[in-house]
Amino acid sequence: MASIPKKVKERIESALKQYQLILQSAKDRDVNETDTVTIVKDILSDMYGYNKYTEVTSEFCIRGTYCDLAIKVGEAVRLLIEVKAVGVELKDNHIRQATDYAANHGLEWVGLTNGMVWKVFRMHFGQPVSSEIVLDVDLLQCSHKSNEDIEKLFLLAKEARMEDALHEYHEQ
């Protein structure tokens, strides 16, 4: 994997420590999906480096249904993210919902998160359309001191998307 720029690594480490506390508190309070989406947007901005006003779109319409978040690079949607409430365990029906959004939009990458657990799937547009999990990371289990954890988190960073680090990671 490409080396992580020092500034980006420091941003991820710092935000990870901050959001572990926020997510644990949100889980303890059993916050709802809407409040979880707010936390996820902040994580996308503070940890992953996206501009939450221009690069993260809420309630992205796909064939009359709405995916919680879409990450745009330029005008192109690069990643859809379906969000569940922080206390909800991510299950197969949630994965199916997220991958259906990606399939219906013709998008290669889709994420599913409850804020704590982040899963990223790569879509395969054969017959039938299928998906495979490429990344599965629990922010509460990550350590800001672990290079391996920071490298996994970097895969979702804006700087990594520009380099298509997910493709590289998937190929490994």
Side-chain angles (χ1 to χ4, degrees):
M1 185 184 322
S3 66
I4 304 171
K6 187 176 192 288
K7 183 179 83 177
V8 176
K9 186 174 192 271
E10 289 169 353
R11 181 186 73 216
I12 292 171
E13 291 168 346
S14 170
L16 177 61
K17 289 190 288 189
Q18 174 189 355
Y19 281 100
Q20 285 174 326
L21 298 172
I22 291 168
L23 289 165
Q24 187 60 59
S25 170
K27 183 181 180 191
D28 294 345
R29 292 179 292 120
D30 196 26
V31 303
N32 63 28
E33 186 174 308
T34 302
D35 291 342
T36 304
V37 169
T38 299
I39 295 168
V40 168
K41 284 181 83 170
D42 288 343
I43 290 171
L44 288 169
S45 175
D46 299 342
M47 183 157 29
Y48 295 129
Y50 295 97
N51 182 316
K52 65 182 169 184
Y53 304 110
T54 61
E55 296 174 318
V56 181
T57 302
S58 298
E59 294 297 318
F60 186 74
C61 185
I62 301 166
R63 295 189 181 176
T65 61
Y66 293 89
C67 184
D68 293 311
L69 299 170
I71 295 179
K72 290 182 171 185
V73 177
E75 288 303 307
V77 174
R78 298 289 297 271
L79 177 69
L80 296 173
I81 301 176
E82 180 60 19
V83 180
K84 297 300 168 195
V86 74
V88 171
E89 184 182 335
L90 303 178
K91 294 192 162 76
D92 287 347
N93 59 324
H94 302 134
I95 294 168
R96 205 167 18 265
Q97 179 185 12
T99 55
D100 283 352
Y101 287 141
N104 286 328
H105 194 64
L107 200 61
E108 185 177 16
W109 297 101
V110 63
L112 174 64
T113 187
N114 60 9
M116 299 178 305
V117 175
W118 291 68
K119 296 178 182 277
V120 178
F121 300 86
R122 183 175 185 187
M123 301 301 298
H124 298 282
F125 294 98
Q127 292 294 347
V129 172
S130 63
S131 66
E132 70 178 304
I133 190 157
V134 174
L135 183 66
D136 187 352
V137 64
D138 183 335
L139 295 185
L140 294 186
Q141 302 302 316
C142 288
S143 168
H144 68 280
K145 294 178 180 172
S146 164
N147 283 334
E148 185 180 329
D149 289 348
I150 299 304
E151 285 176 1
K152 282 185 179 177
L153 297 175
F154 173 69
L155 294 171
L156 289 173
K158 177 180 178 177
E159 295 84 357
R161 292 295 305 147
M162 299 301 174
E163 299 170 18
D164 282 322
L166 276 170
H167 273 289
E168 227 177 90
Y169 182 77
H170 174 258
E171 294 305 316
Q172 289 178 1

